[in-house]
Amino acid sequence: MMETLKHTIEIPLVGMDSEHCAMLINGGLSKLEGISNHRVDFNNKKAIVEYGSKKPEFNVLVKTIRDLGYDVASIKKTFPITGMTCASCAVSTESILSSLDGVISVASNFANASATVEFIPDLVTLPQMKTALQSIGYDMIIDEENAHDLKEEIHQNLYLELRNKTIWAVVLSLPIVIIGMFFMELPYANQIMMGLTTPVLFWFGRNFFINAYKQTKHLSANMDTLVALSTGIAYLFSVFNTVYPEFWHKRGLHAHVYFEAASVVVAFILLGKLLEEKAKSNTSSAIKKLIGLQPKTVTVIHEGGHEMEMPIARVHIGNIVLVKPGDKIPVDGEVIEGASFVDESMISGEPVPLEKRQGEKVFSGTVNQKGSFKIKALKVGGETVLAQIIKMVQEAQGSKAPVQKLVDKIAGIFVPVVIVLSILSFVTWWIFGGENGLTQGLLSMVTVLVIACPCALGLATPTAIMVGVGKGAEHGILIKDAESLELAKNVNAIILDKTGTITEGKPEVVDFIESDGANTTYSKQVLLAIESQSEHPLAEAVSKHLKKGNVQPIQLKHIESITGRGVKAIVNEQAYFVGNKALMNENNIQINSTYSEKALAMQNEAKTVIYFSDSKQVLIVAGIADKVKVNSAKAISELQNNGIEVYMLTGDNAQTASAVAKQVGIKNFEAEVLPTQKSEFIKELQGKGKVVAMVGDGINDSQALAQSDVSIAMGKGSDIAIDVAKMTIISSDLMLIPEAIKLSRLTVKTIKQNLFWAFIYNIIGIPIAAGVLYPINGFILNPMIAGAAMALSSVSVVSNSLWLKLRSINSN
């Protein structure tokens, strides 16, 4: 008796600090089936598992270890995947990678052509994963340093290649259709059509056949399989009839050819793929722009004060870095010399730059304003806040399982069913068809495959999406992703950022109170002169307000900044102050009761109060705020009336958040929220079964936008938020969000109608094509009529999609 061949897996362990831990893991593994032997090596921190012919599932082994409170030495990374053509391809890539020892989990995302893989590097290598994917017709970019550039280059090359294939397939198919429909009596018509169809199928459409073959090798099928079968059999049948028509003539039948059906199918499917690739062309730009926030080079100060410019990759923790005015801060660090204002909107989302002095922290990717300072590098490379944002956006985008579109769900059943029906039809005719059973069997088999061609299937969703996207653009709603357009109708919870979403996103003077008894024109001239020279970001708001009133500044003799208080200036030997209340109190400046009451009211409304005075009394009080947009309250009310829960999350303080929430009618809000907390809040809502939409405008919102089911960016916001989001409101008007949801409902309704028309022909036509009416009235469907029915289904689908253009998105 032959001894069963044994296989061994050695799993590196983490968190095992005693022999007792090893015993617990051993006990857990002993409960699993398929393991012939196992032991835990405490010294080398490994679990050694032996198995025979039946291989245990690797993820089950890891889950058993984790359920006991221990872990394995794994890493999680996201890789670009090429060659995926439909949602079922994402399933195939997950399946092949999950079969490898060492791979714990895989989440493939067809929408952004990537796979997030958790694996143990000691057990499986990146080249092994790449080889496994290549065996079924896909590929993985494992050059992590240049992955995004390579992916973009590959995508661009594939798009250009697909465009050329589509153009040539259409150009060659047109004369085939004309000959097949109108000039069949033309001398050598069949030979001409065969000559034109051959390159359409086997050169421009060769990927359908290659992918179908690779799928077949792994006992699976997708849309490529059906395309290859229907066009391939129609082509071979037509070639046989062209070369040897006597075979049919001897049996009293006409030798039909179906070259036009084969070539047109390939041309249509290529066109559909081209439109799809066009829509997905910008999937990687968000990550590229995030990476672009980090400068390529940095100025490092060495001992002795010597400055050296070097690549960012060479900066180490502890290096002293010089940050000049207008520079993007290259690393996370601490200010050790100098001072400036830094725009941290990418972190906090708030529009007002923060003053940074010695001892304060600064973050990579934030933008220095007017001053310069030196920082000590505390976090570099992949540890910076910016790098963590990039990583979290990648994981949030890649971790979602691809939404199985209705078309692909049906196609998963439709493809094998059609193949079985065509074979069954052939066999039935062969057995029961009498003298011409073989002939009629071949005809019915081809007819079934031709009428079942997935042309209308392929057009049902993209045509409706194209019209829906176009209609959205007409109303100022840019939609980049079909998945979000389909999901928007199901949204029952929506999260709004405050700054730039509910509010205008920029501080401006909303209250300006002047003293009645003073020379107000002169006072405003002095104030403008001071604020024009101030580096404080709120000074710009005051300057803009005064310039709108055509105020002209006067010449200043002296100006000085008072840390944490404001500014002091000398004009004509008179001292003037601009700043907060503390500055007024320290200089014993009188604030009359009217100003005090007005200032208190402003503070209660979460406005920032600026005082302007001479050496004795306050002359002007200004209230500065980020104004709520005109339509925000109305839009929020409409969303709530439609049964959607509205939340506001902001990085601003609680007083400001409360005032804004009260003004627009939001009951659920949270203040001082970090970007990671926004993302976690969305996960919590999703865990409760909510379909969550996130509306934001800043880089700080990118993690939350990526995590949400439907992501919406304000058009006046950052490029990063716009690129991460799947919808963009061009005008930044919140009233367009209810409109987008209504558009989603109409579009999904149209998609379902399209699928009905796409399948009704198959439901009726396939049984007729198989010959179900023959015993009743002797009717056999001609493959040419089958081809016409297939074309008619496509026409009805496109026509129904175009009807969507005439519909109002205000209708229910």
Side-chain angles (χ1 to χ4, degrees), residues 306-542:
H306 174 65
E307 295 182 10
M308 178 181 288
E309 192 170 295
M310 62 174 63
I312 186 72
R314 290 175 55 191
V315 178
H316 299 291
I317 293 174
N319 284 159
I320 306 302
V321 177
L322 176 64
V323 181
K324 299 174 184 177
D327 280 357
K328 293 171 184 172
I329 295 173
V331 295
D332 291 1
E334 181 181 310
V335 178
I336 60 171
E337 185 181 319
S340 181
F341 285 90
V342 176
D343 180 359
E344 291 191 344
S345 57
M346 66 150 286
I347 302 295
S348 66
E350 301 311 311
V352 181
L354 300 177
E355 187 176 13
K356 297 292 182 179
R357 294 189 171 275
Q358 187 173 343
E360 296 193 58
K361 299 284 194 304
V362 292
F363 302 99
S364 171
T366 56
V367 182
N368 182 28
Q369 302 291 290
K370 298 178 181 178
S372 64
F373 52 87
K374 296 175 184 177
I375 63 172
K376 181 179 181 181
L378 300 178
K379 291 182 179 180
V380 299
E383 299 301 316
T384 65
V385 169
L386 176 61
Q388 292 301 310
I389 290 175
I390 293 170
K391 182 182 177 184
M392 291 187 73
V393 171
Q394 284 178 320
E395 288 187 359
Q397 289 180 332
S399 64
K400 298 177 189 172
V403 174
Q404 294 297 318
K405 295 189 174 92
L406 191 54
V407 171
D408 293 302
K409 285 182 178 178
I410 297 170
I413 305 168
F414 184 70
V415 173
V417 166
V418 167
I419 294 169
V420 170
L421 286 174
S422 67
I423 295 170
L424 186 61
S425 173
F426 170 73
V427 172
T428 303
W429 273 102
W430 192 8
I431 295 172
F432 301 106
E435 185 178 344
N436 289 326
L438 177 62
T439 304
Q440 296 293 356
L442 283 169
L443 278 172
S444 68
M445 182 179 182
V446 170
T447 306
V448 168
L449 288 168
V450 168
I451 204 169
C453 179
C455 231
L457 259 181
L459 291 168
T461 301
T463 52
I465 292 298
M466 283 178 66
V467 174
V469 168
K471 194 170 185 65
E474 290 172 7
H475 289 77
I477 306 164
L478 290 183
I479 302 161
K480 294 189 291 183
D481 184 89
E483 179 182 323
S484 60
L485 186 57
E486 291 177 24
L487 272 176
K489 73 179 185 68
N490 299 323
V491 166
N492 50 24
I494 189 163
I495 295 172
L496 305 175
D497 178 47
K498 178 183 73 68
T499 306
T501 301
I502 296 174
T503 66
E504 294 289 353
K506 52 189 176 185
E508 58 181 79
V509 175
V510 291
D511 294 307
F512 196 81
I513 304 164
E514 306 168 44
S515 174
D516 294 331
N519 183 346
T520 55
T521 301
Y522 181 74
S523 295
K524 286 189 281 189
Q525 288 178 321
V526 174
L527 177 58
L528 178 58
I530 296 170
E531 294 292 59
S532 296
Q533 294 189 32
S534 173
E535 293 183 357
H536 198 285
L538 294 181
E540 187 179 350
V542 176

Side-chain angles (χ1 to χ4, degrees), residues 425-718:
S425 173
F426 170 73
V427 172
T428 303
W429 273 102
W430 192 8
I431 295 172
F432 301 106
E435 185 178 344
N436 289 326
L438 177 62
T439 304
Q440 296 293 356
L442 283 169
L443 278 172
S444 68
M445 182 179 182
V446 170
T447 306
V448 168
L449 288 168
V450 168
I451 204 169
C453 179
C455 231
L457 259 181
L459 291 168
T461 301
T463 52
I465 292 298
M466 283 178 66
V467 174
V469 168
K471 194 170 185 65
E474 290 172 7
H475 289 77
I477 306 164
L478 290 183
I479 302 161
K480 294 189 291 183
D481 184 89
E483 179 182 323
S484 60
L485 186 57
E486 291 177 24
L487 272 176
K489 73 179 185 68
N490 299 323
V491 166
N492 50 24
I494 189 163
I495 295 172
L496 305 175
D497 178 47
K498 178 183 73 68
T499 306
T501 301
I502 296 174
T503 66
E504 294 289 353
K506 52 189 176 185
E508 58 181 79
V509 175
V510 291
D511 294 307
F512 196 81
I513 304 164
E514 306 168 44
S515 174
D516 294 331
N519 183 346
T520 55
T521 301
Y522 181 74
S523 295
K524 286 189 281 189
Q525 288 178 321
V526 174
L527 177 58
L528 178 58
I530 296 170
E531 294 292 59
S532 296
Q533 294 189 32
S534 173
E535 293 183 357
H536 198 285
L538 294 181
E540 187 179 350
V542 176
S543 295
K544 281 184 178 178
H545 177 79
L546 292 171
K547 286 175 182 176
K548 284 180 184 177
N550 296 317
V551 176
Q552 298 296 322
I554 63 173
Q555 214 44 45
L556 295 180
K557 183 176 181 181
H558 172 76
I559 185 169
E560 65 176 285
S561 175
I562 303 170
T563 304
R565 297 290 187 266
V567 177
K568 178 182 179 182
I570 305 294
V571 181
N572 296 329
E573 308 305 323
Q574 169 71 44
Y576 290 90
F577 299 89
V578 181
N580 55 23
K581 189 175 182 180
L583 180 65
M584 303 295 112
N585 292 338
E586 287 173 4
N587 290 277
N588 298 314
I589 293 167
Q590 181 185 348
I591 306 175
N592 65 39
S593 58
T594 301
Y595 281 144
S596 295
E597 288 171 8
K598 296 283 188 183
L600 183 61
M602 292 180 201
Q603 288 172 335
N604 290 336
E605 293 172 358
K607 298 170 185 173
T608 301
V609 180
I610 301 294
Y611 297 86
F612 170 62
S613 75
D614 57 20
S615 58
K616 296 178 182 178
Q617 64 181 356
V618 171
L619 305 174
I620 294 173
V621 174
I624 299 176
D626 185 8
K627 281 203 319 187
V628 171
K629 293 176 185 174
V630 176
N631 286 330
S632 291
K634 184 179 177 183
I636 288 163
S637 175
E638 185 166 341
L639 289 167
Q640 290 169 335
N641 290 339
N642 288 333
I644 298 172
E645 296 175 6
V646 181
Y647 301 83
M648 183 182 78
L649 302 183
T650 178
D652 211 339
N653 62 72
Q655 186 181 19
T656 302
S658 178
V660 171
K662 185 177 180 181
Q663 192 173 342
V664 297
I666 293 177
K667 296 178 182 178
N668 304 309
F669 70 90
E670 290 191 19
E672 299 177 7
V673 178
L674 296 174
T676 52
Q677 292 172 324
K678 288 184 182 181
S679 181
E680 289 299 321
F681 187 84
I682 290 173
K683 286 182 183 176
E684 286 179 22
L685 289 178
Q686 289 170 332
K688 295 175 183 176
K690 299 287 185 184
V691 178
V692 183
M694 170 69 196
V695 186
D697 76 319
I699 295 170
N700 64 301
D701 298 319
S702 57
Q703 298 170 35
L705 287 167
Q707 179 61 44
S708 64
D709 298 295
V710 178
S711 48
I712 305 172
M714 295 287 105
K716 294 179 182 177
S718 76

